[in-house]
Short mmCIF file of all heavy atoms in Angstrom, two decimals:
data_model
loop_
_atom_site.label_atom_id
_atom_site.label_comp_id
_atom_site.label_asym_id
_atom_site.label_seq_id
_atom_site.Cartn_x
_atom_site.Cartn_y
_atom_site.Cartn_z
N HIS A 60 2.63 -2.71 -13.99
CA HIS A 60 2.18 -1.74 -15.00
C HIS A 60 1.50 -0.53 -14.37
O HIS A 60 0.51 -0.66 -13.65
CB HIS A 60 1.24 -2.44 -15.98
CG HIS A 60 1.87 -3.65 -16.59
ND1 HIS A 60 2.82 -3.57 -17.60
CD2 HIS A 60 1.77 -4.96 -16.28
CE1 HIS A 60 3.24 -4.77 -17.91
NE2 HIS A 60 2.63 -5.65 -17.13
N GLU A 61 2.04 0.64 -14.67
CA GLU A 61 1.55 1.88 -14.09
C GLU A 61 0.04 2.06 -14.33
O GLU A 61 -0.70 2.42 -13.41
CB GLU A 61 2.33 3.05 -14.70
CG GLU A 61 1.98 4.40 -14.15
CD GLU A 61 2.87 5.50 -14.75
OE1 GLU A 61 3.44 5.31 -15.85
OE2 GLU A 61 3.00 6.55 -14.10
N GLY A 62 -0.40 1.81 -15.58
CA GLY A 62 -1.81 2.02 -15.93
C GLY A 62 -2.73 1.12 -15.12
O GLY A 62 -3.84 1.52 -14.75
N GLU A 63 -2.27 -0.09 -14.86
CA GLU A 63 -3.09 -1.02 -14.09
C GLU A 63 -3.23 -0.54 -12.64
O GLU A 63 -4.30 -0.61 -12.04
CB GLU A 63 -2.48 -2.43 -14.13
CG GLU A 63 -3.42 -3.49 -13.59
CD GLU A 63 -3.06 -4.90 -14.02
OE1 GLU A 63 -1.86 -5.22 -14.11
OE2 GLU A 63 -3.99 -5.69 -14.26
N ILE A 64 -2.13 -0.01 -12.10
CA ILE A 64 -2.19 0.54 -10.74
C ILE A 64 -3.17 1.73 -10.71
O ILE A 64 -3.98 1.85 -9.80
CB ILE A 64 -0.79 1.02 -10.27
CG1 ILE A 64 0.24 -0.13 -10.31
CG2 ILE A 64 -0.85 1.69 -8.91
CD1 ILE A 64 0.28 -1.03 -9.12
N VAL A 65 -3.11 2.58 -11.74
CA VAL A 65 -4.04 3.72 -11.82
C VAL A 65 -5.48 3.21 -11.88
O VAL A 65 -6.37 3.71 -11.16
CB VAL A 65 -3.71 4.62 -13.03
CG1 VAL A 65 -4.82 5.64 -13.29
CG2 VAL A 65 -2.37 5.33 -12.83
N ASP A 66 -5.73 2.19 -12.71
CA ASP A 66 -7.09 1.62 -12.80
C ASP A 66 -7.55 1.11 -11.43
O ASP A 66 -8.71 1.30 -11.03
CB ASP A 66 -7.12 0.44 -13.78
CG ASP A 66 -7.04 0.89 -15.24
OD1 ASP A 66 -7.27 2.08 -15.51
OD2 ASP A 66 -6.74 0.04 -16.10
N TRP A 67 -6.65 0.45 -10.71
CA TRP A 67 -7.03 -0.11 -9.40
C TRP A 67 -7.31 0.99 -8.39
O TRP A 67 -8.19 0.85 -7.54
CB TRP A 67 -5.93 -1.04 -8.89
CG TRP A 67 -5.81 -2.32 -9.66
CD1 TRP A 67 -6.73 -2.84 -10.53
CD2 TRP A 67 -4.72 -3.24 -9.62
NE1 TRP A 67 -6.28 -4.04 -11.02
CE2 TRP A 67 -5.06 -4.31 -10.49
CE3 TRP A 67 -3.50 -3.27 -8.94
CZ2 TRP A 67 -4.20 -5.39 -10.69
CZ3 TRP A 67 -2.65 -4.35 -9.13
CH2 TRP A 67 -3.01 -5.40 -10.01
N ILE A 68 -6.56 2.08 -8.45
CA ILE A 68 -6.82 3.20 -7.53
C ILE A 68 -8.21 3.78 -7.84
O ILE A 68 -9.00 4.08 -6.94
CB ILE A 68 -5.72 4.27 -7.64
CG1 ILE A 68 -4.38 3.71 -7.14
CG2 ILE A 68 -6.09 5.52 -6.84
CD1 ILE A 68 -3.16 4.56 -7.49
N GLN A 69 -8.53 3.90 -9.14
CA GLN A 69 -9.87 4.39 -9.51
C GLN A 69 -10.96 3.43 -9.04
O GLN A 69 -12.03 3.85 -8.59
CB GLN A 69 -9.95 4.61 -11.02
CG GLN A 69 -9.07 5.76 -11.49
CD GLN A 69 -9.17 6.01 -12.98
OE1 GLN A 69 -9.97 5.38 -13.68
NE2 GLN A 69 -8.35 6.91 -13.48
N GLU A 70 -10.68 2.13 -9.12
CA GLU A 70 -11.63 1.12 -8.65
C GLU A 70 -11.82 1.26 -7.13
O GLU A 70 -12.93 1.09 -6.61
CB GLU A 70 -11.08 -0.27 -9.01
CG GLU A 70 -12.05 -1.40 -8.76
CD GLU A 70 -11.40 -2.76 -9.05
OE1 GLU A 70 -10.43 -2.85 -9.84
OE2 GLU A 70 -11.88 -3.75 -8.46
N ALA A 71 -10.73 1.58 -6.44
CA ALA A 71 -10.80 1.74 -4.98
C ALA A 71 -11.76 2.85 -4.60
O ALA A 71 -12.44 2.78 -3.57
CB ALA A 71 -9.41 2.02 -4.41
N GLN A 72 -11.83 3.88 -5.44
CA GLN A 72 -12.74 5.01 -5.17
C GLN A 72 -14.18 4.52 -5.01
O GLN A 72 -14.94 5.02 -4.21
CB GLN A 72 -12.64 6.03 -6.32
CG GLN A 72 -13.62 7.18 -6.28
CD GLN A 72 -13.39 8.11 -5.07
OE1 GLN A 72 -12.30 8.20 -4.54
NE2 GLN A 72 -14.44 8.77 -4.63
N VAL A 73 -14.52 3.47 -5.76
CA VAL A 73 -15.88 2.94 -5.74
C VAL A 73 -16.04 1.84 -4.68
O VAL A 73 -17.09 1.72 -4.05
CB VAL A 73 -16.23 2.36 -7.14
CG1 VAL A 73 -17.67 1.89 -7.19
CG2 VAL A 73 -15.94 3.37 -8.23
N LYS A 74 -14.98 1.03 -4.51
CA LYS A 74 -15.16 -0.20 -3.73
C LYS A 74 -14.50 -0.21 -2.35
O LYS A 74 -14.87 -1.04 -1.52
CB LYS A 74 -14.56 -1.38 -4.51
CG LYS A 74 -15.27 -1.69 -5.80
CD LYS A 74 -14.73 -2.99 -6.38
CE LYS A 74 -15.37 -3.31 -7.72
NZ LYS A 74 -14.58 -4.31 -8.46
N ALA A 75 -13.49 0.63 -2.13
CA ALA A 75 -12.67 0.43 -0.93
C ALA A 75 -12.89 1.52 0.12
O ALA A 75 -13.20 2.67 -0.21
CB ALA A 75 -11.18 0.39 -1.31
N ALA A 76 -12.69 1.13 1.38
CA ALA A 76 -12.77 2.09 2.49
C ALA A 76 -11.42 2.73 2.74
O ALA A 76 -11.31 3.72 3.48
CB ALA A 76 -13.25 1.37 3.74
N GLY A 77 -10.36 2.17 2.15
CA GLY A 77 -9.02 2.71 2.33
C GLY A 77 -8.04 2.00 1.41
O GLY A 77 -8.34 0.91 0.90
N VAL A 78 -6.90 2.63 1.19
CA VAL A 78 -5.87 2.05 0.31
C VAL A 78 -4.52 2.07 1.01
O VAL A 78 -4.09 3.12 1.51
CB VAL A 78 -5.76 2.84 -1.02
CG1 VAL A 78 -4.60 2.33 -1.86
CG2 VAL A 78 -7.06 2.75 -1.81
N VAL A 79 -3.89 0.90 1.09
CA VAL A 79 -2.49 0.79 1.51
C VAL A 79 -1.71 0.57 0.22
O VAL A 79 -2.07 -0.32 -0.57
CB VAL A 79 -2.29 -0.39 2.49
CG1 VAL A 79 -0.81 -0.63 2.75
CG2 VAL A 79 -3.05 -0.13 3.79
N ILE A 80 -0.69 1.37 -0.01
CA ILE A 80 0.02 1.24 -1.29
C ILE A 80 1.53 1.28 -1.11
O ILE A 80 2.07 2.16 -0.44
CB ILE A 80 -0.45 2.32 -2.31
CG1 ILE A 80 0.24 2.13 -3.66
CG2 ILE A 80 -0.29 3.74 -1.77
CD1 ILE A 80 -0.43 2.87 -4.82
N ASN A 81 2.19 0.26 -1.67
CA ASN A 81 3.63 0.30 -1.90
C ASN A 81 3.78 0.43 -3.42
O ASN A 81 3.73 -0.57 -4.13
CB ASN A 81 4.32 -0.96 -1.38
CG ASN A 81 5.84 -0.88 -1.58
OD1 ASN A 81 6.34 0.02 -2.25
ND2 ASN A 81 6.56 -1.83 -1.01
N ALA A 82 3.89 1.65 -3.88
CA ALA A 82 3.96 1.88 -5.33
C ALA A 82 5.35 1.58 -5.88
O ALA A 82 5.60 1.74 -7.07
CB ALA A 82 3.54 3.31 -5.65
N ALA A 83 6.27 1.13 -4.99
CA ALA A 83 7.62 0.75 -5.40
C ALA A 83 8.25 1.88 -6.22
O ALA A 83 8.11 3.05 -5.85
CB ALA A 83 7.61 -0.59 -6.13
N ALA A 84 8.90 1.57 -7.35
CA ALA A 84 9.60 2.61 -8.10
C ALA A 84 8.65 3.71 -8.59
O ALA A 84 9.07 4.87 -8.76
CB ALA A 84 10.34 1.98 -9.28
N LEU A 85 7.37 3.37 -8.79
CA LEU A 85 6.42 4.39 -9.26
C LEU A 85 6.24 5.52 -8.24
O LEU A 85 5.84 6.63 -8.59
CB LEU A 85 5.06 3.75 -9.57
CG LEU A 85 5.02 2.77 -10.74
CD1 LEU A 85 3.66 2.10 -10.82
CD2 LEU A 85 5.34 3.49 -12.06
N SER A 86 6.55 5.21 -6.97
CA SER A 86 6.47 6.25 -5.93
C SER A 86 7.33 7.45 -6.31
O SER A 86 6.99 8.60 -6.01
CB SER A 86 6.99 5.73 -4.58
OG SER A 86 6.55 4.44 -4.32
#
Side-chain angles (χ1 to χ4, degrees):
H60 304 284
E61 183 176 22
E63 191 161 37
I64 302 276
V65 169
D66 286 343
W67 289 345
I68 294 167
Q69 292 182 5
E70 188 184 336
Q72 173 65 25
V73 184
K74 295 188 183 163
V78 174
V79 172
I80 183 164
N81 182 351
L85 294 174
S86 318

